[in-house]
Amino acid sequence: APENIAPDATVTVSSTDPQASTDGLTDGVVGGYPGDIRREWCTQGEHDTGMIRLTWSQEQSIDRIWLFDRPNSLDQIKSGLLIFSDGSSIATGELPDDARQGLEVRFPAKRVKWLIFAVNEVKPGSPNIGLSEIAVFRSP
C-alpha cells in the first residue's frame, strides 16, 4: 500500500484553537468535534487565512494528497491552494463537508521538502476553519 508520509513531517500552522491539536492533522484518524476535538486541527477563529505547512527533514517524492474537512457541519473549506517547495501550486476545490470522505488531489510525482495548504474560501458562517486530517503519499 502507498505510504502516508504526513506523520513524518514537522507541522506548523497559522493558529490553533486551544482545545484542538496540530497532532490531530496527521494522527491517521479522521475525527474531531463533535467527537474528540483533539483528533483534528482547527484555527482560532480564522476563515480564509487558515494555513498549514508540512516540512520533512529530507526531500520526498509525492504524487497524491488527501484533505479531510472538519467533521462538524458548521465549518467547511470551499477552496484552497497547495503550494510546494519546487515552486508549483495546485488549486483545490471544495472538501466534502462532515469529513465523511476526503478530497483526493493527484498530480505527476514531484520532489518536495515542504508543502503548504492555504484556505482560500470557506462556507459562510464557518467559525474556526481547519482539517480533521491530511495524508501525503509517497510516489511509487
Side-chain angles (χ1 to χ4, degrees):
E3 188 187 354
N4 173 16
I5 58 168
D8 305 333
T10 301
V11 176
T12 46
V13 298
S14 50
S15 72
T16 304
D17 181 285
Q19 295 178 74
S21 168
T22 53
D23 295 344
L25 263 176
T26 58
D27 63 0
V29 176
V30 177
Y33 180 83
D36 182 357
I37 195 168
R38 307 288 301 172
R39 291 295 193 182
E40 68 181 339
W41 163 73
C42 61
T43 59
Q44 191 161 16
E46 287 189 80
H47 310 286
D48 55 3
T49 54
M51 194 182 300
I52 65 167
R53 175 174 164 150
L54 302 185
T55 308
W56 290 273
S57 55
Q58 299 170 24
E59 210 176 43
Q60 305 287 334
S61 180
I62 63 171
D63 64 2
R64 192 160 42 119
I65 295 171
W66 289 350
L67 298 164
F68 289 88
D69 199 46
R70 296 188 62 196
N72 76 71
S73 56
L74 289 172
D75 295 274
Q76 184 193 13
I77 296 173
K78 300 290 264 183
S79 72
L81 185 66
L82 287 161
I83 304 159
F84 301 93
S85 60
D86 68 354
S88 63
S89 61
I90 299 172
T92 73
E94 188 172 312
L95 275 57
D97 208 356
D98 305 345
R100 291 184 199 284
Q101 195 182 337
L103 176 71
E104 182 176 76
V105 184
R106 285 179 178 265
F107 42 86
K110 53 177 84 234
R111 296 191 63 78
V112 302
K113 181 88 193 276
W114 53 261
L115 68 84
I116 288 170
F117 177 65
V119 178
N120 272 347
E121 188 192 351
V122 302
K123 180 160 79 175
S126 295
N128 305 286
I129 208 66
L131 292 171
S132 72
E133 192 74 13
I134 181 170
V136 180
F137 294 95
R138 187 172 279 154
S139 56

